[in-house]
Amino acid sequence: MHSIECQIIEGGTGDIIVVGDGTDKFSVTCQVRDEKQGGSYVYEPAGKEQRITSGRINWYGRDPHWRDAVGFRGVDDVERPLGDWNTLEIIARGADLAFFLNGKLVNRAHQVNPRKGRIQIQSEGAEMFFRRVDLTPFPADFRLIYNSDGDNAFLQVHDKMTPELLYPFVDEVAAAGVTSYFISPNIGMPVNFPSQVGDMFGDHISEKLEAGITPDAGKSSGGRVAINLRDLTAAGHDPLGLMIGRSNAHGMETFVSFRPNEVHAVEQEDNLLFDRFWRENPQWRIGKNADSLAQVHLEILGPETHPIVAGWLSGGLNFAVPEVRKYRLSQLRELCERYDIDGLEIDFQRFPMYFKLGEEAANIPTMTAWMREVRGMVDEVGKRKGREIKLVARILALPEQNTAIGLDPISWAKEGLLDFVTVSHYLHNNFQLPIAAYKALLPEGLPVYASVEVEGDARNYPKIAYPLWQQHTNGIYLFNFFTGRESGKEPPFYVIKEIGFPMVSDRPQLLVANKHSNTLSFVDSRTVEVDTTISTGLNPHEIVLTPDHRYAYLSNYAAPGNTISVIDLVKRQHIKQISTGEYGRIHGTAMAPDGRHAYFTAGQSGYVIEVDTRTNAVTRQIPTHGKISHMVYVSPDGTKLYTANIESEDISVLDRKSGELLFKIPAGSGVEGMSFTPDGKQLWAMNQTGGSVMIIDLSTHQVIETFECPGMPVRIRFTPDGKRAVIAHWIQEGAVSIVDVASRKTIKKLMVGKYAIGVEITADGKRAFVGCEDASKAEQLGGGHERVEHAVESDGVHVIDLEKLEVIGTVKTGLGPDPMVLWYPPVD
């Protein structure tokens, strides 16, 4: 077939072959060497750009003396010896194409035609073995982003700086498979180019500082960086422009990442890291170095941050001052007008303080108005240049942290001021970023990227990135990845592709708690076979996972029911039983988005028990102000707790931070199971004995609709696209309703095992799993009690094909399979 071929032949694996009709219908653009090799182009990272409509583009290391012979290996071949397996990764993303052989980039093209079509695996008569072929889809708006600060490239070169010595710092990033290169112009407050608005690093400094700029100066003085910038500009080069141009030549998307409040080393009186605007206008600063900070700043920085670094924040510029905002806007305009970039990022993590203490809330409109000005400027410059310039922001780890310091990125996005956001910690990875919570808060379809900060051990990166992919991040953003060089260690560039491209579990597991067997089963969700079953506490009723999918917490309901089981999922072991003391009949479970706290209902006593997942200690008992609080849920943004109160027939809405009751929402008879819609806008609650479903608008906490759902509706799950709901009915016949969310109409009712209860849906929305009580007789009693006479033979977990709307099988895990959750085993 006419195609864009990735060649597999000994010594030539990774060649691109354009098999077409000689027109642009089948064509690629590659960076190639000036000289051909045997009539074929040769891929050369950042070589000259060439449009190619027929023929072969050799991979960069193809031996010029290549022979068509069994076992051929060239001097620079990446292929393994004959008899060993090779891994070939073909990354086709829109109009971009990259071939990795055994983890190394060997060929790359962009502006590829066609951009979609069939996939053919071809063998031309020679023996070849394929062990495995995986097809992994990219998320929408996928990016692998690499952030380079303003001085790391200029710091490392100790010879006279030339473009040729600068380019490798961009080339290594492209070779790692990065799609989007973010370069910071900031070196402290000055910039790394000859600015007409601000100061280039090393310009307009004191005589004392000038005397310290010598070739043997270390990083602390910045002397080496200043010399290299001066060498480049004296030769007629723009240092930042060289890096941007090199990134563009590689076909990477190129952004400038501007730091609006850089405050490195403000404890010093005179430093190369300060510009004239800051030095000459002390009245426009937030305060002075080492002023007291609010608790939120310490939480953002993390517990390991040095007190000196924490003290820097108050030395930054006060964005309540119009002159400060005007100056920053003029700097951003200069960058957009001067450089050929795809976008501008405002990095609000550098540094996370913009207003005086106590004035943050009042200045949220001030910063929003400034962001409107920035957006207007970006659009205006882009229109003049005839190209789109994206405006994006790197924001704080938790939604409430942004608002606490005077930022409102959620509103910015809803107003159309941002094209995407990156959620980030400050130089640490202390807890799992709540990507799913942000996606629920932001406009539907707005890309959300997860920043992974620098790690000392390369083995940690996959452990951090893997759960982020399970939250459906659009991509990974690497910050400060290069900093190992500051201590003489080469950064682990080999790991970038492993963490930066979507990873899928070989065998996603379905975890099923069997209430009447006191066990937890690990079920292969594809083959629907039980892999392992382990013991738990007595009568495990609900289950919740930490966001990194390393631990599970199970509520143990059998009287007195005052324990919580902790399961190490990787080791598949019950490792701890947490006592809740006088608070018994532990039932509902929920997890905070950041994974730092888990929540459990002590049903009969009307309390929510909070557990610190780092210590597994009970930290609070929060009153629900409801009777028989059976289930608990954490809001998508992590700020509220919702409890379903069976006997008082209402839903309590609690402030998670303070524990205070915010609202009481009247509900129906036997309100119990609930679920948030995937867009985070509604909460659907099951009135079990009332036979109805209640829909609550989360923006107003008002019931906007109640519709009939006869037959004890007890649990609900939504398909990932939010178009359908699967509702289990706790009746003897055992039934499941498939409901159209928009119309509230039942599409189909399926019969399953007796007393259907637990429900889980696969990430692709194609299968549902329904657990059954396995009861010969069951009834609800007063005070939240149930009487269940369970059978000795299990009906099992029923598997439903959600495309065909039919039961396609069952798996028997134990007696009383009820709570279920999909588990993606972490990558170690």
Side-chain angles (χ1 to χ4, degrees):
M1 293 190 297
H2 285 174
S3 63
I4 307 299
E5 178 180 322
C6 174
Q7 174 157 256
I8 303 177
I9 190 170
E10 290 181 286
T13 300
D15 295 345
I16 297 173
I17 304 178
V18 181
V19 184
D21 56 8
T23 73
D24 199 54
K25 290 181 180 178
F26 291 86
S27 57
V28 299
T29 297
C30 290
Q31 314 305 129
V32 298
R33 294 177 190 164
D34 291 330
E35 310 83 20
K36 288 188 175 182
Q37 187 181 78
S40 296
Y41 292 104
V42 181
Y43 169 62
E44 176 69 33
K48 70 175 184 180
E49 190 170 88
Q50 182 69 44
R51 189 70 179 164
I52 300 163
T53 58
S54 65
R56 191 175 69 226
I57 304 95
N58 291 343
W59 72 276
Y60 76 86
R62 198 184 216 265
D63 197 301
H65 305 294
W66 179 85
R67 292 179 295 107
D68 189 0
V70 172
F72 179 86
R73 291 293 183 275
V75 174
D76 297 319
D77 272 11
V78 181
E79 286 179 68
R80 296 195 173 106
L82 187 66
D84 287 353
W85 290 111
N86 291 282
T87 299
L88 177 63
E89 294 166 279
I90 302 166
I91 296 173
R93 186 180 62 91
D96 295 324
L97 188 65
F99 299 159
F100 287 85
L101 181 59
N102 296 321
K104 191 162 190 176
L105 180 70
V106 294
N107 217 333
R108 192 171 197 169
H110 53 283
Q111 297 179 32
V112 175
N113 283 328
R115 300 186 181 188
K116 63 180 180 179
R118 291 173 288 179
I119 297 173
Q120 173 179 288
I121 298 176
Q122 174 183 314
S123 176
E124 299 186 59
E127 184 176 68
M128 187 187 332
F129 295 93
F130 291 92
R131 187 179 72 84
R132 173 174 154 186
V133 178
D134 287 335
L135 187 63
T136 304
F138 283 108
D141 298 295
F142 167 80
R143 287 178 171 88
L144 169 52
I145 302 170
Y146 182 100
N147 182 297
S148 178
D149 74 7
D151 75 342
N152 82 89
F154 305 103
L155 175 67
Q156 302 298 327
V157 177
H158 295 275
D159 297 322
K160 185 176 179 63
M161 184 62 123
T162 64
E164 289 68 32
L165 293 175
L166 182 63
Y167 291 152
F169 295 96
V170 182
D171 297 345
E172 64 189 2
V173 175
V178 167
T179 69
S180 306
Y181 183 68
F182 282 43
I183 173 69
S184 173
N186 308 92
I187 306 179
M189 298 172 193
V191 293
N192 57 11
F193 66 93
S195 171
Q196 301 301 308
V197 177
D199 297 339
M200 187 173 82
F201 186 80
D203 289 352
H204 306 290
I205 56 176
S206 67
E207 293 182 2
K208 176 184 176 183
L209 289 176
E210 187 62 50
I213 298 179
T214 60
D216 59 349
K219 183 179 181 182
S220 60
S221 69
R224 168 48 55 187
V225 175
I227 290 171
N228 285 339
L229 292 174
R230 291 174 179 180
D231 284 347
L232 287 170
T233 54
H237 300 296
D238 180 317
L240 179 60
L242 289 173
M243 300 190 79
I244 289 172
R246 190 69 168 184
S247 174
N248 288 333
H250 277 292
M252 291 188 291
E253 186 182 39
T254 308
F255 280 63
V256 166
S257 175
F258 189 83
R259 302 177 173 187
N261 226 1
E262 259 287 356
V263 288
H264 269 94
V266 293
E267 79 280 5
Q268 301 177 30
E269 290 295 322
D270 193 16
N271 194 296
L272 285 169
L273 295 170
F274 308 154
D275 65 0
R276 282 177 296 171
F277 186 88
W278 183 86
R279 289 198 307 264
E280 295 172 1
N281 296 291
Q283 75 279 12
W284 292 341
R285 300 175 196 169
I286 295 170
K288 60 182 185 299
N289 178 63
D291 282 351
S292 297
L293 295 176
Q295 181 61 33
V296 66
H297 296 107
L298 301 177
E299 291 174 358
I300 293 166
L301 298 178
E304 297 181 9
T305 300
H306 196 283
I308 291 178
V309 175
W312 292 347
L313 297 193
S314 52
L317 292 170
N318 182 1
F319 272 68
V321 177
E323 289 84 355
V324 170
R325 300 194 302 275
K326 182 179 179 180
Y327 176 61
R328 287 290 185 245
L329 181 62
S330 65
Q331 289 185 293
L332 298 177
R333 177 179 287 277
E334 181 181 39
L335 289 163
C336 291
E337 291 180 338
R338 183 172 183 137
Y339 297 110
D340 184 18
I341 56 175
D342 295 294
L344 171 69
E345 178 184 64
I346 313 294
D347 185 355
F348 287 102
Q349 274 284 18
R350 280 298 185 272
F351 279 72
M353 190 170 184
Y354 295 92
F355 302 104
K356 291 181 179 292
L357 292 184
E359 298 181 5
E360 297 90 350
N363 277 296
I364 286 177
T366 303
M367 190 63 91
T368 298
W370 184 72
M371 287 298 293
R372 290 192 193 106
E373 291 187 77
V374 177
R375 175 86 253 182
M377 177 276 294
V378 166
D379 290 344
E380 179 233 314
V381 174
K383 186 175 181 180
R384 272 195 281 114
K385 287 188 170 187
R387 62 174 298 175
E388 179 191 21
I389 300 177
K390 295 185 183 298
L391 178 62
V392 305
R394 195 166 80 110
I395 59 177
L396 279 55
L398 300 176
E400 60 266 29
Q401 290 176 340
N402 293 291
T403 52
I405 67 168
L407 312 178
D408 190 4
I410 306 300
S411 293
W412 304 343
K414 289 179 177 178
E415 194 176 323
L417 304 182
L418 297 176
D419 291 295
F420 62 78
V421 299
T422 297
V423 180
S424 173
H425 285 296
Y426 176 89
L427 296 184
H428 61 77
N429 299 292
N430 283 355
F431 57 83
Q432 194 64 53
L433 293 168
I435 301 302
Y438 269 104
K439 280 186 170 283
L441 293 168
L442 290 161
E444 185 177 358
L446 188 87
V448 181
Y449 302 92
S451 179
V452 177
E453 306 298 292
V454 68
E455 284 286 324
D457 188 337
R459 293 173 296 182
N460 290 339
Y461 284 106
K463 296 177 184 178
I464 296 166
Y466 186 86
L468 295 170
W469 287 117
Q470 307 315 323
Q471 292 190 68
H472 305 293
T473 180
N474 294 88
I476 298 297
Y477 181 119
L478 295 172
F479 189 85
N480 268 11
F481 190 82
F482 48 80
T483 52
R485 286 181 174 140
E486 296 174 7
S487 56
K489 287 179 61 177
E490 191 63 15
F493 279 95
Y494 62 87
V495 82
I496 287 180
K497 183 173 57 60
E498 179 184 349
I499 65 176
F501 287 89
M503 292 178 287
V504 292
S505 171
D506 287 344
R507 297 288 184 189
Q509 300 272 307
L510 178 70
L511 302 182
V512 183
N514 307 297
K515 295 194 295 191
H516 307 312
S517 296
N518 306 320
T519 57
L520 177 69
S521 294
F522 294 72
V523 179
D524 187 309
S525 65
R526 297 180 187 175
T527 64
V528 199
E529 296 177 350
V530 177
D531 182 32
T532 308
T533 297
I534 64 172
S535 297
T536 66
L538 299 179
N539 205 215
H541 256 58
E542 300 298 332
I543 181 172
V544 69
L545 308 185
T546 53
D548 60 7
H549 282 228
R550 304 191 81 83
Y551 299 96
Y553 289 79
L554 282 74
S555 55
N556 300 319
Y557 193 63
N562 61 350
T563 63
I564 298 163
S565 292
V566 185
I567 309 295
D568 184 321
L569 294 172
V570 177
K571 295 179 180 179
R572 303 193 180 192
Q573 293 178 357
H574 184 291
I575 59 171
K576 187 176 180 63
Q577 194 120 292
I578 302 170
S579 173
T580 58
E582 63 183 287
Y583 299 91
R585 305 310 295 272
I586 302 298
H587 190 278
T589 62
M591 183 67 64
D594 60 18
R596 292 189 289 183
H597 292 96
Y599 297 90
F600 307 85
T601 53
Q604 272 63 21
S605 58
Y607 278 84
V608 170
I609 307 301
E610 181 186 73
V611 171
D612 187 321
T613 58
R614 292 163 291 188
T615 62
N616 286 325
V618 174
T619 49
R620 279 193 299 172
Q621 298 86 19
I622 306 169
T624 68
H625 305 276
K627 293 182 180 179
I628 314 303
S629 304
H630 212 51
M631 304 292 284
V632 61
Y633 304 85
V634 179
S635 62
D637 64 2
T639 62
K640 300 176 185 68
L641 299 173
Y642 293 79
T643 64
N645 309 316
I646 293 177
E647 197 164 285
S648 55
E649 296 185 358
D650 52 27
I651 296 168
S652 296
V653 185
L654 309 169
D655 182 280
R656 185 167 76 92
K657 187 173 184 179
S658 67
E660 294 178 1
L661 177 68
L662 299 175
F663 310 100
K664 270 290 197 74
I665 304 172
S669 177
V671 62
E672 187 177 339
M674 301 192 291
S675 183
F676 299 103
T677 52
D679 62 9
K681 294 180 179 178
Q682 296 176 348
L683 177 66
W684 286 34
M686 307 294 102
N687 298 317
Q688 185 178 351
T689 52
S692 64
V693 176
M694 189 171 68
I695 302 174
I696 300 162
D697 184 327
L698 290 176
S699 66
T700 63
H701 288 96
Q702 298 295 312
V703 177
I704 58 174
E705 187 177 347
T706 299
F707 65 91
E708 291 186 1
C709 187
M712 302 281 281
V714 62
R715 296 288 185 271
I716 178 173
R717 289 287 186 275
F718 291 96
T719 54
D721 61 11
K723 293 181 179 180
R724 291 179 174 181
V726 179
I727 297 175
H729 297 273
W730 200 64
I731 53 177
Q732 187 169 15
E733 295 81 7
V736 172
S737 292
I738 314 297
V739 175
D740 179 80
V741 170
S743 67
R744 326 302 196 210
K745 302 296 184 184
T746 298
I747 301 169
K748 192 168 185 179
K749 201 164 190 175
L750 301 172
M751 306 313 293
V752 290
K754 294 178 180 179
Y755 295 96
I757 184 163
V759 180
E760 182 59 293
I761 297 176
T762 55
D764 59 11
K766 293 182 179 180
R767 281 184 176 183
F769 303 95
V770 181
C772 303
E773 184 79 31
D774 289 334
S776 56
K777 183 180 179 182
E779 59 181 315
Q780 280 203 334
L781 307 175
H785 294 282
E786 302 164 347
R787 178 185 293 130
V788 178
E789 296 176 9
H790 59 81
V792 294
E793 180 64 27
S794 176
D795 285 335
V797 175
H798 288 63
V799 186
I800 297 174
D801 186 319
L802 290 176
E803 294 177 323
K804 297 179 180 178
L805 296 182
E806 60 185 41
V807 177
I808 58 173
T810 60
V811 56
K812 297 190 177 184
T813 58
L815 278 173
D818 172 3
M820 292 181 287
V821 65
L822 279 172
W823 172 56
Y824 295 87
V827 176
D828 285 317

